[in-house]
Amino acid sequence: MLDEAREAPQVVARQLRADREQYAALGAQLRSTPPSSLLTLARGSSDHAAHYAAYLVMARMGRLVTSMPMSLITLYQSRIACQGLASFAFSQSGQSPDVVKPTEYFRAGGAVTCAFVNDAASPLAQAAQWLFPLHAGPEKSVAATKSFIAQLVAGARLAAAWQEDADLQLALDALPAALELAARADWSEAVDKLRDADRLFVVGRGLSLPVAMEAALKFKETCGIQAEAFSAAEIQHGPMALIEPGYPLLMFAPRGPAQAGVLEVARAMRDRGACVLLAAPPGTPGATLPLVETGLPDVDPVSAIQSFYPMVEALARARGNDPDQPPHLKKVTRTS
Protein backbone atom coordinates (compact mmCIF):
# COMPACT_ATOMS: atom_id res chain seq x y z
CA MET A 1 0.00 0.00 0.00
CA LEU A 2 2.73 2.46 0.93
CA ASP A 3 4.77 1.79 -2.21
CA GLU A 4 1.70 2.23 -4.42
CA ALA A 5 0.66 5.43 -2.64
CA ARG A 6 4.13 6.84 -3.26
CA GLU A 7 3.85 5.91 -6.95
CA ALA A 8 0.87 8.23 -7.40
CA PRO A 9 2.86 11.29 -8.61
CA GLN A 10 4.40 9.20 -11.40
CA VAL A 11 0.98 7.71 -12.20
CA VAL A 12 -0.53 11.17 -12.52
CA ALA A 13 2.32 12.35 -14.74
CA ARG A 14 1.84 9.29 -16.97
CA GLN A 15 -1.90 9.81 -17.20
CA LEU A 16 -1.55 13.50 -18.03
CA ARG A 17 0.69 12.65 -20.98
CA ALA A 18 -1.92 10.30 -22.41
CA ASP A 19 -5.33 10.64 -24.05
CA ARG A 20 -5.28 14.43 -24.43
CA GLU A 21 -7.05 14.26 -27.78
CA GLN A 22 -9.67 11.90 -26.36
CA TYR A 23 -10.51 14.25 -23.48
CA ALA A 24 -10.60 17.22 -25.87
CA ALA A 25 -12.95 15.34 -28.21
CA LEU A 26 -15.35 14.46 -25.39
CA GLY A 27 -15.28 18.05 -24.16
CA ALA A 28 -16.10 19.29 -27.65
CA GLN A 29 -19.03 16.87 -27.94
CA LEU A 30 -20.42 17.88 -24.54
CA ARG A 31 -20.24 21.54 -25.56
CA SER A 32 -21.75 21.05 -29.00
CA THR A 33 -24.53 18.72 -27.80
CA PRO A 34 -25.06 19.48 -24.11
CA PRO A 35 -26.63 16.57 -22.25
CA SER A 36 -29.94 17.24 -20.50
CA SER A 37 -29.10 14.95 -17.59
CA LEU A 38 -25.87 13.64 -16.08
CA LEU A 39 -25.14 10.79 -13.71
CA THR A 40 -22.25 8.86 -12.21
CA LEU A 41 -21.89 5.09 -11.74
CA ALA A 42 -19.47 3.80 -9.10
CA ARG A 43 -18.95 1.87 -5.86
CA GLY A 44 -16.58 2.27 -2.91
CA SER A 45 -13.50 4.42 -3.43
CA SER A 46 -14.49 4.93 -7.05
CA ASP A 47 -17.76 6.48 -5.89
CA HIS A 48 -15.83 8.99 -3.81
CA ALA A 49 -13.81 9.93 -6.91
CA ALA A 50 -17.05 10.22 -8.88
CA HIS A 51 -18.40 12.62 -6.23
CA TYR A 52 -15.33 14.82 -6.73
CA ALA A 53 -15.82 14.89 -10.51
CA ALA A 54 -19.53 15.60 -10.09
CA TYR A 55 -18.86 18.45 -7.66
CA LEU A 56 -16.40 20.03 -10.09
CA VAL A 57 -18.96 19.87 -12.90
CA MET A 58 -21.75 21.25 -10.73
CA ALA A 59 -19.66 24.01 -9.16
CA ARG A 60 -17.96 25.13 -12.35
CA MET A 61 -20.69 24.65 -14.96
CA GLY A 62 -23.91 24.69 -13.01
CA ARG A 63 -24.95 21.28 -14.35
CA LEU A 64 -26.59 18.98 -11.81
CA VAL A 65 -25.10 15.49 -11.60
CA THR A 66 -26.86 12.51 -9.99
CA SER A 67 -25.21 9.54 -8.30
CA MET A 68 -27.10 6.64 -9.87
CA PRO A 69 -28.54 3.85 -7.68
CA MET A 70 -27.41 1.08 -10.01
CA SER A 71 -29.91 -1.42 -8.66
CA LEU A 72 -32.55 0.51 -10.61
CA ILE A 73 -31.16 -1.25 -13.67
CA THR A 74 -29.68 -4.46 -12.25
CA LEU A 75 -32.49 -5.40 -9.84
CA TYR A 76 -35.58 -3.32 -10.59
CA GLN A 77 -35.23 -3.30 -14.40
CA SER A 78 -36.37 0.31 -14.45
CA ARG A 79 -36.79 1.81 -17.90
CA ILE A 80 -34.62 4.88 -17.44
CA ALA A 81 -35.00 7.43 -20.25
CA CYS A 82 -31.71 7.64 -22.14
CA GLN A 83 -32.37 10.54 -24.50
CA GLY A 84 -30.01 13.41 -23.71
CA LEU A 85 -28.30 11.43 -20.93
CA ALA A 86 -24.56 11.29 -20.23
CA SER A 87 -23.21 8.70 -17.80
CA PHE A 88 -19.75 8.66 -16.22
CA ALA A 89 -18.63 5.32 -14.77
CA PHE A 90 -15.65 5.18 -12.40
CA SER A 91 -13.99 1.88 -11.55
CA GLN A 92 -10.58 0.41 -10.85
CA SER A 93 -11.12 -3.14 -12.10
CA GLY A 94 -14.08 -2.55 -14.41
CA GLN A 95 -15.39 -5.97 -13.46
CA SER A 96 -18.46 -5.39 -11.29
CA PRO A 97 -21.76 -6.13 -13.05
CA ASP A 98 -23.59 -3.31 -11.29
CA VAL A 99 -21.36 -0.78 -13.07
CA VAL A 100 -21.12 -2.64 -16.39
CA LYS A 101 -24.82 -3.42 -16.92
CA PRO A 102 -26.11 0.14 -16.52
CA THR A 103 -23.38 1.37 -18.87
CA GLU A 104 -24.47 -1.20 -21.44
CA TYR A 105 -28.10 -0.23 -20.94
CA PHE A 106 -27.47 3.48 -21.36
CA ARG A 107 -25.28 3.02 -24.41
CA ALA A 108 -27.88 0.81 -26.08
CA GLY A 109 -30.46 3.54 -25.39
CA GLY A 110 -28.36 6.20 -27.13
CA ALA A 111 -26.82 7.93 -24.10
CA VAL A 112 -23.26 9.23 -24.01
CA THR A 113 -21.35 6.69 -21.90
CA CYS A 114 -17.87 7.21 -20.45
CA ALA A 115 -15.65 4.85 -18.44
CA PHE A 116 -12.75 6.01 -16.28
CA VAL A 117 -11.15 2.68 -15.46
CA ASN A 118 -7.71 1.26 -14.73
CA ASP A 119 -8.16 -1.98 -16.71
CA ALA A 120 -8.54 -0.89 -20.33
CA ALA A 121 -9.51 -4.44 -21.37
CA SER A 122 -12.22 -4.85 -18.73
CA PRO A 123 -15.93 -5.40 -19.39
CA LEU A 124 -16.65 -1.80 -18.37
CA ALA A 125 -14.06 -0.47 -20.78
CA GLN A 126 -15.70 -2.46 -23.56
CA ALA A 127 -19.21 -1.40 -22.57
CA ALA A 128 -18.66 2.37 -22.73
CA GLN A 129 -18.59 4.55 -25.82
CA TRP A 130 -15.75 6.69 -24.42
CA LEU A 131 -12.81 5.02 -22.64
CA PHE A 132 -10.40 6.94 -20.42
CA PRO A 133 -7.76 4.61 -18.90
CA LEU A 134 -6.34 5.64 -15.54
CA HIS A 135 -2.82 4.46 -16.43
CA ALA A 136 -2.17 3.55 -12.78
CA GLY A 137 -0.54 0.20 -13.58
CA PRO A 138 -1.12 -2.95 -11.53
CA GLU A 139 -2.36 -2.30 -8.01
CA LYS A 140 -1.78 -5.23 -5.64
CA SER A 141 -2.85 -3.69 -2.34
CA VAL A 142 -6.48 -4.34 -1.46
CA ALA A 143 -6.76 -0.71 -0.32
CA ALA A 144 -6.74 1.46 -3.42
CA THR A 145 -4.39 4.45 -3.38
CA LYS A 146 -2.73 5.39 -6.65
CA SER A 147 -5.77 4.33 -8.68
CA PHE A 148 -8.03 6.56 -6.55
CA ILE A 149 -5.76 9.54 -7.07
CA ALA A 150 -5.71 8.75 -10.79
CA GLN A 151 -9.52 8.77 -10.76
CA LEU A 152 -9.59 12.19 -9.11
CA VAL A 153 -7.28 13.51 -11.80
CA ALA A 154 -9.39 11.93 -14.56
CA GLY A 155 -12.48 13.65 -13.18
CA ALA A 156 -10.69 16.98 -13.11
CA ARG A 157 -9.50 16.42 -16.68
CA LEU A 158 -13.11 15.83 -17.71
CA ALA A 159 -14.13 19.17 -16.18
CA ALA A 160 -11.18 21.01 -17.73
CA ALA A 161 -11.88 19.59 -21.19
CA TRP A 162 -15.60 20.28 -21.02
CA GLN A 163 -15.09 23.83 -19.79
CA GLU A 164 -11.99 24.46 -21.93
CA ASP A 165 -10.37 25.82 -18.78
CA ALA A 166 -6.67 26.47 -19.41
CA ASP A 167 -6.00 27.40 -15.77
CA LEU A 168 -7.36 24.09 -14.49
CA GLN A 169 -5.35 22.20 -17.09
CA LEU A 170 -2.19 24.07 -16.08
CA ALA A 171 -2.84 23.20 -12.43
CA LEU A 172 -3.20 19.56 -13.38
CA ASP A 173 -0.01 19.62 -15.43
CA ALA A 174 1.85 20.93 -12.37
CA LEU A 175 0.22 18.45 -10.01
CA PRO A 176 2.87 15.67 -10.02
CA ALA A 177 5.44 17.97 -8.42
CA ALA A 178 2.96 19.00 -5.71
CA LEU A 179 2.10 15.36 -5.06
CA GLU A 180 5.78 14.50 -4.57
CA LEU A 181 5.85 17.06 -1.76
CA ALA A 182 2.51 15.91 -0.37
CA ALA A 183 3.68 12.30 -0.17
CA ARG A 184 6.47 13.41 2.20
CA ALA A 185 4.34 15.68 4.41
CA ASP A 186 4.67 15.00 8.14
CA TRP A 187 1.36 13.68 9.44
CA SER A 188 2.94 11.70 12.29
CA GLU A 189 0.85 13.59 14.87
CA ALA A 190 -2.21 11.79 13.51
CA VAL A 191 -0.55 8.41 14.08
CA ASP A 192 0.23 9.36 17.67
CA LYS A 193 -3.26 10.69 18.40
CA LEU A 194 -5.22 7.90 16.67
CA ARG A 195 -3.15 4.86 17.70
CA ASP A 196 -5.73 3.79 20.28
CA ALA A 197 -8.88 5.25 18.71
CA ASP A 198 -11.87 2.99 18.11
CA ARG A 199 -14.07 5.59 16.40
CA LEU A 200 -13.72 9.00 14.79
CA PHE A 201 -15.35 11.49 12.46
CA VAL A 202 -13.72 12.63 9.23
CA VAL A 203 -14.94 16.05 8.16
CA GLY A 204 -14.80 18.01 4.92
CA ARG A 205 -17.05 20.21 2.87
CA GLY A 206 -17.52 20.95 -0.81
CA LEU A 207 -14.67 19.53 -2.86
CA SER A 208 -12.96 18.12 0.24
CA LEU A 209 -15.97 16.01 1.29
CA PRO A 210 -15.18 13.21 -1.23
CA VAL A 211 -11.66 13.07 0.25
CA ALA A 212 -13.14 12.83 3.75
CA MET A 213 -15.35 9.95 2.56
CA GLU A 214 -12.34 8.16 1.13
CA ALA A 215 -10.32 8.71 4.30
CA ALA A 216 -13.12 7.29 6.45
CA LEU A 217 -13.24 4.18 4.28
CA LYS A 218 -9.48 3.70 4.59
CA PHE A 219 -9.65 4.01 8.39
CA LYS A 220 -12.23 1.21 8.38
CA GLU A 221 -10.52 -1.20 6.03
CA THR A 222 -6.88 -0.78 7.09
CA CYS A 223 -7.12 0.19 10.76
CA GLY A 224 -10.38 -1.32 11.94
CA ILE A 225 -11.60 2.06 13.19
CA GLN A 226 -15.29 2.90 13.00
CA ALA A 227 -14.86 6.09 11.00
CA GLU A 228 -17.72 8.13 9.56
CA ALA A 229 -17.47 11.02 7.10
CA PHE A 230 -19.61 14.13 7.44
CA SER A 231 -19.91 17.52 5.86
CA ALA A 232 -18.86 20.31 8.21
CA ALA A 233 -22.44 21.56 7.85
CA GLU A 234 -24.07 18.23 8.71
CA ILE A 235 -21.93 17.43 11.73
CA GLN A 236 -23.54 20.31 13.59
CA HIS A 237 -26.87 18.49 13.55
CA GLY A 238 -27.36 14.97 14.93
CA PRO A 239 -23.71 13.83 14.99
CA MET A 240 -22.85 16.66 17.41
CA ALA A 241 -24.52 14.64 20.17
CA LEU A 242 -21.64 12.13 20.06
CA ILE A 243 -18.87 14.68 20.53
CA GLU A 244 -17.44 14.39 24.02
CA PRO A 245 -14.05 15.30 25.52
CA GLY A 246 -11.28 13.49 23.65
CA TYR A 247 -13.48 12.43 20.72
CA PRO A 248 -11.16 12.37 17.66
CA LEU A 249 -11.91 14.24 14.44
CA LEU A 250 -9.81 14.50 11.30
CA MET A 251 -10.87 17.66 9.46
CA PHE A 252 -9.87 18.57 5.90
CA ALA A 253 -9.70 22.34 5.32
CA PRO A 254 -7.94 23.00 2.01
CA ARG A 255 -8.23 26.39 0.31
CA GLY A 256 -11.52 27.39 -1.26
CA PRO A 257 -14.99 28.68 -0.39
CA ALA A 258 -15.65 25.87 2.10
CA GLN A 259 -12.51 26.39 4.19
CA ALA A 260 -13.88 29.07 6.52
CA GLY A 261 -16.81 26.91 7.55
CA VAL A 262 -14.58 23.92 8.30
CA LEU A 263 -12.28 26.09 10.42
CA GLU A 264 -15.27 27.45 12.35
CA VAL A 265 -16.47 23.91 13.11
CA ALA A 266 -12.93 22.92 14.13
CA ARG A 267 -12.88 25.72 16.68
CA ALA A 268 -16.29 24.67 18.00
CA MET A 269 -15.17 21.06 18.34
CA ARG A 270 -12.05 22.10 20.26
CA ASP A 271 -14.23 24.17 22.58
CA ARG A 272 -16.18 20.98 23.34
CA GLY A 273 -12.93 19.22 24.24
CA ALA A 274 -12.66 17.11 21.10
CA CYS A 275 -9.28 15.96 19.77
CA VAL A 276 -9.16 17.87 16.48
CA LEU A 277 -6.60 16.98 13.82
CA LEU A 278 -6.89 19.82 11.31
CA ALA A 279 -5.39 19.29 7.85
CA ALA A 280 -4.86 22.72 6.31
CA PRO A 281 -2.18 24.77 4.53
CA PRO A 282 0.72 25.88 6.77
CA GLY A 283 -0.12 29.10 8.56
CA THR A 284 -3.81 28.30 8.89
CA PRO A 285 -4.91 28.94 12.50
CA GLY A 286 -5.15 25.64 14.37
CA ALA A 287 -3.59 23.55 11.59
CA THR A 288 -1.84 20.42 12.87
CA LEU A 289 -1.39 18.44 9.61
CA PRO A 290 0.15 20.30 6.65
CA LEU A 291 -1.58 20.39 3.27
CA VAL A 292 0.45 21.09 0.14
CA GLU A 293 -1.10 23.73 -2.11
CA THR A 294 -1.47 22.96 -5.81
CA GLY A 295 -1.95 25.24 -8.81
CA LEU A 296 -5.63 25.85 -7.97
CA PRO A 297 -7.76 25.38 -4.84
CA ASP A 298 -10.03 23.01 -6.79
CA VAL A 299 -7.13 20.57 -7.11
CA ASP A 300 -5.93 20.80 -3.49
CA PRO A 301 -8.06 17.80 -2.37
CA VAL A 302 -5.84 15.57 -4.51
CA SER A 303 -2.73 16.57 -2.57
CA ALA A 304 -4.69 16.15 0.68
CA ILE A 305 -5.44 12.48 0.06
CA GLN A 306 -1.85 11.96 -1.13
CA SER A 307 -0.63 13.06 2.31
CA PHE A 308 -3.29 10.99 4.08
CA TYR A 309 -2.41 7.61 2.55
CA PRO A 310 1.11 7.20 4.02
CA MET A 311 -0.24 8.28 7.40
CA VAL A 312 -3.07 5.76 7.49
CA GLU A 313 -0.71 3.00 6.33
CA ALA A 314 1.63 3.83 9.23
CA LEU A 315 -1.32 4.02 11.62
CA ALA A 316 -2.49 0.56 10.60
CA ARG A 317 0.93 -0.91 11.32
CA ALA A 318 1.15 0.97 14.64
CA ARG A 319 -2.12 -0.70 15.61
CA GLY A 320 -0.75 -4.14 14.69
CA ASN A 321 -2.68 -4.48 11.42
CA ASP A 322 -1.45 -5.45 7.97
CA PRO A 323 -2.72 -2.69 5.65
CA ASP A 324 -1.77 -4.74 2.58
CA GLN A 325 -4.10 -7.60 3.50
CA PRO A 326 -7.12 -6.30 5.44
CA PRO A 327 -9.30 -9.09 6.87
CA HIS A 328 -12.40 -10.22 4.97
CA LEU A 329 -11.70 -8.00 1.93
CA LYS A 330 -10.87 -8.74 -1.72
CA LYS A 331 -9.28 -6.51 -4.34
CA VAL A 332 -12.11 -6.98 -6.85
CA THR A 333 -15.69 -6.90 -5.61
CA ARG A 334 -18.45 -8.05 -7.95
CA THR A 335 -21.96 -6.94 -6.99
CA SER A 336 -25.13 -6.85 -9.03
Side-chain angles (χ1 to χ4, degrees):
M1 178 181 175
L2 182 59
D3 289 343
E4 289 172 352
R6 287 173 172 167
E7 286 177 30
Q10 291 76 41
V11 167
V12 170
R14 183 164 62 242
Q15 186 199 125
L16 290 169
R17 290 192 297 268
D19 308 311
R20 287 181 178 259
E21 293 182 358
Q22 183 83 335
Y23 277 95
L26 175 61
Q29 178 173 323
L30 294 172
R31 290 192 302 275
S32 64
T33 310
S36 57
S37 56
L38 304 126
L39 56 83
T40 60
L41 306 168
R43 292 282 191 213
S45 288
S46 298
D47 194 38
H48 306 153
H51 274 64
Y52 174 73
Y55 209 101
L56 280 174
V57 170
M58 290 189 286
R60 287 171 156 267
M61 285 169 275
R63 303 298 304 275
L64 292 177
V65 185
T66 300
S67 178
M68 168 85 175
M70 292 169 286
S71 60
L72 289 175
I73 301 295
T74 61
L75 300 182
Y76 290 87
Q77 286 82 52
S78 301
R79 308 306 298 174
I80 305 296
C82 296
Q83 185 174 4
L85 173 69
S87 73
F88 306 103
F90 288 77
S91 177
Q92 290 141 22
S93 71
Q95 300 288 334
S96 188
D98 60 356
V99 180
V100 175
K101 289 180 181 178
T103 300
E104 292 174 337
Y105 172 87
F106 291 135
R107 184 175 184 180
V112 175
T113 54
C114 307
F116 302 90
V117 61
N118 199 34
D119 185 351
S122 64
L124 176 61
Q126 297 171 27
Q129 172 191 3
W130 293 86
L131 169 62
F132 297 95
L134 301 180
H135 300 286
E139 191 172 53
K140 297 179 181 179
S141 172
V142 172
T145 54
K146 62 179 181 176
S147 62
F148 177 76
I149 290 174
Q151 287 177 318
L152 294 180
V153 172
R157 293 182 76 185
L158 164 67
W162 190 351
Q163 200 175 17
E164 284 190 299
D165 190 308
D167 290 338
L168 178 53
Q169 187 59 58
L170 285 173
L172 290 171
D173 289 340
L175 184 57
L179 294 182
E180 291 283 3
L181 295 175
R184 299 193 296 271
D186 183 6
W187 278 37
S188 58
E189 181 172 344
V191 177
D192 296 337
K193 294 288 180 62
L194 299 176
R195 188 186 307 266
D196 298 318
D198 59 0
R199 56 179 180 163
L200 72 127
F201 287 160
V202 189
V203 181
R205 193 171 185 188
L207 283 166
S208 68
L209 182 56
V211 166
M213 295 164 64
E214 168 66 6
L217 176 62
K218 288 298 184 285
F219 278 126
K220 293 185 185 79
E221 65 184 357
T222 66
C223 300
I225 299 175
Q226 181 62 48
E228 301 300 331
F230 289 99
S231 163
E234 291 293 337
I235 200 172
Q236 299 180 80
H237 295 278
M240 182 74 85
L242 296 176
I243 304 298
E244 57 190 16
Y247 197 103
L249 299 98
L250 171 59
M251 307 187 72
F252 288 96
R255 297 175 301 165
Q259 185 189 56
V262 178
L263 296 180
E264 181 179 350
V265 174
R267 287 192 294 268
M269 294 298 104
R270 285 197 177 100
D271 289 344
R272 292 175 68 93
C275 173
V276 176
L277 293 160
L278 180 62
T284 304
T288 54
L289 306 174
L291 290 186
V292 173
E293 296 180 359
T294 66
L296 278 180
D298 285 358
V299 187
D300 284 1
V302 187
S303 72
I305 201 66
Q306 176 72 82
S307 295
F308 170 82
Y309 282 144
M311 182 280 292
V312 80
E313 195 273 350
L315 177 62
R317 296 193 183 280
R319 292 167 63 90
N321 296 350
D322 181 358
D324 296 330
Q325 296 294 329
H328 316 303
L329 297 178
K330 298 182 294 183
K331 182 62 179 172
V332 178
T333 303
R334 292 179 172 86
T335 51
S336 59

